[in-house]
Short mmCIF file of all heavy atoms in Angstrom, two decimals:
data_model
loop_
_atom_site.label_atom_id
_atom_site.label_comp_id
_atom_site.label_asym_id
_atom_site.label_seq_id
_atom_site.Cartn_x
_atom_site.Cartn_y
_atom_site.Cartn_z
N ILE A 677 -5.29 5.68 -8.03
CA ILE A 677 -5.20 6.45 -9.29
C ILE A 677 -3.71 6.48 -9.74
O ILE A 677 -2.87 6.75 -8.96
CB ILE A 677 -5.62 7.98 -9.03
CG1 ILE A 677 -7.03 8.02 -8.44
CG2 ILE A 677 -5.39 8.72 -10.30
CD1 ILE A 677 -7.41 9.36 -7.86
N LEU A 678 -3.51 6.02 -11.00
CA LEU A 678 -2.16 5.67 -11.43
C LEU A 678 -1.86 6.50 -12.68
O LEU A 678 -2.31 6.18 -13.89
CB LEU A 678 -2.10 4.16 -11.82
CG LEU A 678 -0.69 3.61 -12.22
CD1 LEU A 678 0.25 3.81 -11.05
CD2 LEU A 678 -0.88 2.15 -12.58
N PRO A 679 -1.04 7.55 -12.63
CA PRO A 679 -0.63 8.26 -13.76
C PRO A 679 0.22 7.42 -14.65
O PRO A 679 0.96 6.62 -14.22
CB PRO A 679 0.32 9.45 -13.08
CG PRO A 679 -0.24 9.60 -11.72
CD PRO A 679 -0.62 8.20 -11.29
N GLU A 680 0.10 7.63 -15.95
CA GLU A 680 0.76 6.75 -16.88
C GLU A 680 2.29 6.79 -16.81
O GLU A 680 2.98 5.75 -16.94
CB GLU A 680 0.29 7.02 -18.29
CG GLU A 680 0.92 6.13 -19.33
CD GLU A 680 0.60 4.64 -19.28
OE1 GLU A 680 -0.31 4.28 -18.44
OE2 GLU A 680 1.19 3.82 -19.91
N ASP A 681 2.86 7.94 -16.50
CA ASP A 681 4.34 7.97 -16.39
C ASP A 681 4.84 7.20 -15.16
O ASP A 681 5.93 6.66 -15.23
CB ASP A 681 4.86 9.42 -16.45
CG ASP A 681 4.31 10.22 -15.31
OD1 ASP A 681 3.09 10.06 -14.96
OD2 ASP A 681 5.02 11.09 -14.85
N VAL A 682 4.14 7.20 -14.12
CA VAL A 682 4.45 6.44 -12.93
C VAL A 682 4.32 4.96 -13.26
O VAL A 682 5.21 4.15 -12.92
CB VAL A 682 3.63 6.75 -11.66
CG1 VAL A 682 3.91 5.97 -10.47
CG2 VAL A 682 3.76 8.23 -11.44
N ALA A 683 3.24 4.65 -13.92
CA ALA A 683 3.04 3.21 -14.28
C ALA A 683 4.20 2.62 -15.11
O ALA A 683 4.60 1.40 -14.92
CB ALA A 683 1.78 2.97 -14.92
N MET A 684 4.81 3.39 -16.04
CA MET A 684 5.82 2.88 -16.95
C MET A 684 7.24 3.06 -16.39
O MET A 684 8.20 2.52 -16.85
CB MET A 684 5.69 3.65 -18.28
CG MET A 684 6.09 5.14 -18.29
SD MET A 684 6.09 5.93 -19.83
CE MET A 684 4.44 5.67 -20.46
N ALA A 685 7.31 3.77 -15.22
CA ALA A 685 8.65 3.92 -14.66
C ALA A 685 9.15 2.62 -14.03
O ALA A 685 8.34 1.80 -13.64
CB ALA A 685 8.63 5.07 -13.66
N GLU A 686 10.46 2.54 -13.83
CA GLU A 686 11.02 1.33 -13.24
C GLU A 686 10.51 1.16 -11.86
O GLU A 686 10.35 2.16 -11.06
CB GLU A 686 12.59 1.49 -13.22
CG GLU A 686 13.27 0.22 -12.69
CD GLU A 686 14.78 0.39 -12.70
OE1 GLU A 686 15.37 1.09 -13.60
OE2 GLU A 686 15.47 -0.20 -11.84
N ALA A 687 10.21 -0.06 -11.53
CA ALA A 687 9.59 -0.35 -10.22
C ALA A 687 10.52 -0.14 -9.06
O ALA A 687 11.78 -0.33 -9.23
CB ALA A 687 9.04 -1.84 -10.19
N GLU A 688 10.05 0.31 -7.91
CA GLU A 688 10.91 0.46 -6.73
C GLU A 688 10.21 -0.34 -5.57
O GLU A 688 9.41 0.22 -4.86
CB GLU A 688 11.06 1.93 -6.35
CG GLU A 688 11.72 2.76 -7.32
CD GLU A 688 11.92 4.18 -6.93
OE1 GLU A 688 12.36 4.34 -5.74
OE2 GLU A 688 11.77 5.06 -7.76
N PRO A 689 10.42 -1.63 -5.50
CA PRO A 689 9.71 -2.55 -4.50
C PRO A 689 10.05 -2.14 -3.17
O PRO A 689 9.21 -2.38 -2.34
CB PRO A 689 10.24 -3.90 -4.87
CG PRO A 689 10.80 -3.77 -6.31
CD PRO A 689 11.35 -2.45 -6.39
N SER A 690 11.23 -1.58 -2.83
CA SER A 690 11.48 -1.22 -1.45
C SER A 690 11.97 0.17 -1.39
O SER A 690 12.90 0.57 -2.23
CB SER A 690 12.59 -2.23 -0.92
OG SER A 690 12.79 -1.99 0.39
N PRO A 691 11.50 0.96 -0.53
CA PRO A 691 11.77 2.45 -0.43
C PRO A 691 13.23 2.55 0.27
O PRO A 691 13.62 1.60 0.98
CB PRO A 691 10.80 2.98 0.49
CG PRO A 691 10.22 1.95 1.28
CD PRO A 691 10.34 0.67 0.44
N PRO A 692 13.95 3.66 0.06
CA PRO A 692 15.17 3.89 0.82
C PRO A 692 14.94 4.01 2.27
O PRO A 692 13.87 4.41 2.70
CB PRO A 692 15.63 5.16 0.20
CG PRO A 692 14.46 5.90 -0.31
CD PRO A 692 13.55 4.83 -0.77
N ARG A 693 15.83 3.61 3.04
CA ARG A 693 15.75 3.62 4.53
C ARG A 693 16.03 5.10 5.02
O ARG A 693 17.14 5.49 5.23
CB ARG A 693 16.66 2.71 5.21
CG ARG A 693 16.39 2.62 6.73
CD ARG A 693 17.14 1.43 7.26
NE ARG A 693 16.96 1.41 8.75
CZ ARG A 693 15.96 0.82 9.37
NH1 ARG A 693 14.97 0.34 8.67
NH2 ARG A 693 15.81 0.86 10.76
N MET A 694 14.92 5.87 5.03
CA MET A 694 15.06 7.28 5.37
C MET A 694 13.69 7.73 6.03
O MET A 694 12.67 6.99 5.97
CB MET A 694 15.44 8.12 4.19
CG MET A 694 14.35 7.96 3.04
SD MET A 694 14.84 8.92 1.59
CE MET A 694 14.65 10.58 2.15
N HIS A 695 13.70 8.84 6.58
CA HIS A 695 12.52 9.45 7.24
C HIS A 695 11.45 9.61 6.14
O HIS A 695 11.69 10.20 5.04
CB HIS A 695 12.80 10.81 7.84
CG HIS A 695 11.60 11.47 8.46
ND1 HIS A 695 11.08 10.94 9.63
CD2 HIS A 695 10.89 12.60 8.11
CE1 HIS A 695 10.04 11.76 9.96
NE2 HIS A 695 9.91 12.67 8.99
N GLY A 696 10.31 9.20 6.40
CA GLY A 696 9.12 9.26 5.50
C GLY A 696 8.86 7.97 4.76
O GLY A 696 7.83 7.80 4.10
N ALA A 697 9.87 6.99 4.76
CA ALA A 697 9.69 5.85 4.02
C ALA A 697 8.64 4.92 4.73
O ALA A 697 8.53 4.93 5.97
CB ALA A 697 11.03 5.04 3.87
N VAL A 698 7.92 4.13 3.95
CA VAL A 698 6.89 3.26 4.44
C VAL A 698 7.15 1.81 4.03
O VAL A 698 7.33 1.48 2.82
CB VAL A 698 5.41 3.67 3.96
CG1 VAL A 698 4.48 2.73 4.47
CG2 VAL A 698 5.19 5.10 4.41
N PHE A 699 7.18 0.84 4.88
CA PHE A 699 7.56 -0.56 4.68
C PHE A 699 6.30 -1.37 4.98
O PHE A 699 6.13 -1.88 6.18
CB PHE A 699 8.76 -1.01 5.41
CG PHE A 699 9.99 -0.27 5.06
CD1 PHE A 699 10.34 0.95 5.62
CD2 PHE A 699 10.87 -0.85 4.06
CE1 PHE A 699 11.54 1.56 5.23
CE2 PHE A 699 12.04 -0.21 3.75
CZ PHE A 699 12.39 1.00 4.28
N SER A 700 5.36 -1.51 4.02
CA SER A 700 4.10 -2.16 4.36
C SER A 700 4.21 -3.66 3.96
O SER A 700 5.26 -4.08 3.35
CB SER A 700 2.97 -1.49 3.54
OG SER A 700 3.21 -1.65 2.14
N SER A 701 3.23 -4.47 4.39
CA SER A 701 3.23 -5.84 4.09
C SER A 701 1.95 -6.38 3.61
O SER A 701 0.86 -5.78 3.79
CB SER A 701 3.72 -6.59 5.34
OG SER A 701 2.70 -6.40 6.39
N VAL A 702 1.94 -7.52 2.99
CA VAL A 702 0.67 -8.26 2.57
C VAL A 702 0.26 -9.02 3.75
O VAL A 702 0.94 -9.72 4.47
CB VAL A 702 1.04 -9.15 1.32
CG1 VAL A 702 -0.19 -10.08 1.02
CG2 VAL A 702 1.43 -8.34 0.21
N GLY A 703 -1.11 -9.01 3.90
CA GLY A 703 -1.69 -9.87 4.99
C GLY A 703 -2.83 -9.13 5.75
O GLY A 703 -2.60 -7.87 6.10
N TRP A 704 -3.88 -9.81 6.00
CA TRP A 704 -4.95 -9.20 6.79
C TRP A 704 -5.70 -10.42 7.41
O TRP A 704 -5.91 -11.44 6.74
CB TRP A 704 -5.85 -8.36 5.97
CG TRP A 704 -7.06 -7.83 6.57
CD1 TRP A 704 -7.10 -6.67 7.32
CD2 TRP A 704 -8.40 -8.34 6.55
NE1 TRP A 704 -8.47 -6.50 7.79
CE2 TRP A 704 -9.20 -7.45 7.32
CE3 TRP A 704 -8.94 -9.46 6.02
CZ2 TRP A 704 -10.57 -7.70 7.54
CZ3 TRP A 704 -10.31 -9.74 6.16
CH2 TRP A 704 -11.09 -8.86 6.95
#
């Protein structure tokens, strides 16, 4: 589910290195 203001916001491809950050990958 994608709120429109999130969709139009600047992308953040990589989260900050901090507690709670998730670094996922493509592949299965």
Side-chain angles (χ1 to χ4, degrees):
I677 302 164
L678 185 61
E680 180 60 11
D681 58 326
V682 176
M684 68 175 61
E686 184 178 330
E688 295 184 45
S690 185
R693 188 170 177 81
M694 59 183 292
H695 180 69
V698 177
F699 295 84
S700 63
S701 61
V702 173
W704 177 84

